Amino acid sequence: MGDCVIRASKLAKWFGEGDARTIAVRDADFEVRYGEMLYIVGPSGSGKTTLLSMISGILKPNGGQVTIEGRDIWAMTDDELADLRLKKIGFVFQDYHLFPRLTTLENVAIPLILKKMEWNEAMRNALQYLEIVGLKERAELQPVKLSGGEQQRVAIARAIAGQPDILIFDEPTASLDGDTGRKIVEFIKTRILNDKRCVIIVTHDSRIYEYADTIMKMEDGRITGLETNHLHEK
Amino acid sequence: MTGLFRIAFKLLVNDRSKFTALLVGITFAVFLMVMMMSMFSGILSRSCAPVYNIGAKVWVMDPAVNNTVSSIPMPDYVLSSARSIKGVSYAVPLYYGGAQVKLRNGSYQSVTVIGLDDTTLFGRPELIEGRIEDIFAENGFLVVKDAEYSKLGSPPIGSELEINDNRASVVGIAKVASSGLFGVPTLYTTFSRAITYIPTTRFTTSFVLIEPRSTGDIPGIQREIARLGYEALTRQQFVDKITAFYTYKTGMGTNILLMTSISFLVGLSISGQTFYTFILENLEKFGAMKAIGAKGRELVTMILFQAFFTSLTGYGLGVGAASSFMLLMRMRMPDYAAQLTFSILGFALLMVTIIAGVSSYIGVRKVLQIQPFDIFRG
């Protein structure tokens, strides 16, 4: 594995005040390295999504620090954070969140358009990423005409189109059958992950644990275990 | 930014049902607003037509007069006094009244008769047939060839009409800038013939028309006329007085204002509601775009573009539909009183801008409120 890309220290997040205060994450310390596939696992309400949101610059922590390539992301302005997410982080949401009125190609091109790339060039580039996920021939279809697995792959193509260093997947197999889910994760492992990129997956689908390099277990907002999968150590 | 505009455009137009609903709503609202205001503008323009057609710079009248039709005859000394006021180049009497013309088929047709000063014929219309001096011939009348001309049986030069048992010979066919409001034909003759042919009250001068030596003399003339107990108005003041009368004292203005407001509200509610639904439907996707790295102002720009694109397209369609409708109506009814002015177009554009602004404001608030974390949380 390569250098450390994300480092979280003493991360804490709570919602509400006084008696209504709910602690979502407490004292979270961990790091993610280039080339690593990290799973964050745990039951519902254990703080996985909150932790993921804090390390990806979406949800401000109440305490602690997150650095990406050595820069404290929560010391940045909103615009700097947005730029960081655009350039460094790729998201694949649980429900994909593809625009149903745009074509598959246009959906994939969104990060490129946000990067101010010229329209035709963005479309050409997006097509290459669709080719990577094996959906080049579906470029002009609207997402609703694709299967769940195909939509997932479009979301992956959109996430990698901006050439991010960090890829974040929120429950990537939750809406897929077991076989398709495994194929998707295998695809991520073999085709998307590389030495210059890390992948963080939030899941509680134990059927895909075998693909993880590291599994971080969470319960009641705490990190209760950090296991390295020696079968996949590089 | 052009790429984002294209994305915004595609998001909008590819949702055909909502885009159609938005366009129909705004087009309909613009159509109604423009039609209402154009009709009112047409009516006002027609009501002021005699003032423009006669063209005098200063009109003297009884203060109770609200429009040309309801003139109150003035005694002759008003004319004499006006002529003696400093700054008056010349002053002439004008007869303006209504009469019944008996047509060849025995039926009667109401007409407006304008009696011009016998000496100067000040305020005469432009002739398209005949010679102006023939108005001095026995029984000489000019007929205005406008949308109402056919109501007299389209009489050619040399034909005869009957007014109050008097013979009236058509000696010229004239044209005027604008027809009157009440849809009756207009005849011109001399002042003396008009008061001879048509039964009048003791006083006969409907208006005194004044040509001032200079514009600067007008206030002095107005003061002197006011001392006589009468009112001297410039052409624009008289037009304003007529406009105010029809706007505020006939209920016409209130009704038009109500209809225009209702049209605006219809447009606003249809557009606002549909646009809000459109934003709600895409809200999570906008949230996802925020997570990906879109800035709030970029999303606001997209929404504003969508709202203004729809509104301006609806505005164009609405104005097009209204002007086509007016054109069609004018082909079928030449005296159809509706006119589309730049101020109406500007006002409708302002209303549409407000519709777009309010509609997008609702959407912008929603999109700014959505947090990327909400997307993760589901």
Side-chain angles (χ1 to χ4, degrees), chain A residues 79 83 99 101 106 116, chain B residues 10 14 295 297-298:
Chain A
D79 277 3
D83 278 338
F99 280 106
R101 308 292 175 189
E106 288 158 354
K116 314 278 188 278
Chain B
K10 282 166 179 272
N14 287 354
K295 296 179 183 76
R297 62 175 173 276
E298 290 173 329

Side-chain angles (χ1 to χ4, degrees), chain A residues 15 49-50 52-53 56 58-59 78-83 85-87 89 91-103 106-107 110-111 113-114 116-117 119-120 123 142 158 168-170, chain B residues 1-18 278 281-299 302 371-378:
Chain A
F15 298 100
T49 301
T50 305
L52 191 71
S53 301
S56 58
I58 280 175
L59 184 67
D78 286 350
D79 277 3
E80 285 171 337
L81 263 180
D83 278 338
R85 291 198 298 267
L86 184 60
K87 290 169 184 167
I89 305 172
F91 292 92
V92 179
F93 307 101
Q94 184 176 341
D95 298 328
Y96 321 131
H97 290 304
L98 302 170
F99 280 106
R101 308 292 175 189
L102 298 181
T103 64
E106 288 158 354
N107 267 290
I110 282 177
I113 299 288
L114 287 173
K116 314 278 188 278
M117 193 179 279
W119 180 267
N120 290 334
M123 294 302 141
Q142 288 184 330
R158 182 178 66 182
I168 288 176
F169 291 79
D170 187 22
Chain B
M1 197 58 97
T2 50
L4 274 182
F5 285 148
R6 281 180 83 157
I7 292 283
F9 175 77
K10 282 166 179 272
L11 283 175
L12 180 70
V13 300
N14 287 354
D15 192 346
R16 283 185 194 156
S17 58
K18 286 199 186 59
F278 172 77
E281 207 168 81
N282 288 296
L283 193 59
E284 287 188 342
K285 278 74 183 176
F286 282 120
M289 278 186 79
K290 264 189 176 179
I292 289 170
K295 296 179 183 76
R297 62 175 173 276
E298 290 173 329
L299 298 180
M302 284 175 74
Q371 294 301 322
F373 181 57
D374 299 328
I375 305 303
F376 273 124
R377 214 163 33 179

Side-chain angles (χ1 to χ4, degrees), chain A residues 52-171:
Chain A
L52 191 71
S53 301
M54 288 191 290
I55 62 171
S56 58
I58 280 175
L59 184 67
K60 189 167 188 171
N62 295 108
Q65 192 182 45
V66 180
T67 60
I68 292 181
E69 291 179 335
R71 289 182 69 198
D72 180 357
I73 66 167
W74 289 110
M76 294 179 178
T77 63
D78 286 350
D79 277 3
E80 285 171 337
L81 263 180
D83 278 338
L84 175 92
R85 291 198 298 267
L86 184 60
K87 290 169 184 167
K88 291 276 177 195
I89 305 172
F91 292 92
V92 179
F93 307 101
Q94 184 176 341
D95 298 328
Y96 321 131
H97 290 304
L98 302 170
F99 280 106
R101 308 292 175 189
L102 298 181
T103 64
T104 301
L105 185 66
E106 288 158 354
N107 267 290
V108 173
I110 282 177
L112 305 174
I113 299 288
L114 287 173
K115 282 182 165 181
K116 314 278 188 278
M117 193 179 279
E118 191 267 327
W119 180 267
N120 290 334
E121 192 185 350
M123 294 302 141
R124 273 196 301 275
N125 280 2
L127 197 60
Q128 288 173 8
Y129 289 103
L130 270 182
E131 193 170 13
I132 290 171
V133 297
L135 290 173
K136 188 180 175 184
E137 71 286 358
R138 305 262 182 171
E140 293 306 321
L141 292 182
Q142 288 184 330
V144 286
K145 293 182 178 158
L146 304 179
S147 68
E150 286 173 328
Q151 287 187 44
Q152 177 76 280
R153 281 194 277 161
V154 174
I156 292 170
R158 182 178 66 182
I160 61 173
Q163 295 184 309
D165 298 335
I166 304 159
L167 269 171
I168 288 176
F169 291 79
D170 187 22
E171 302 282 5

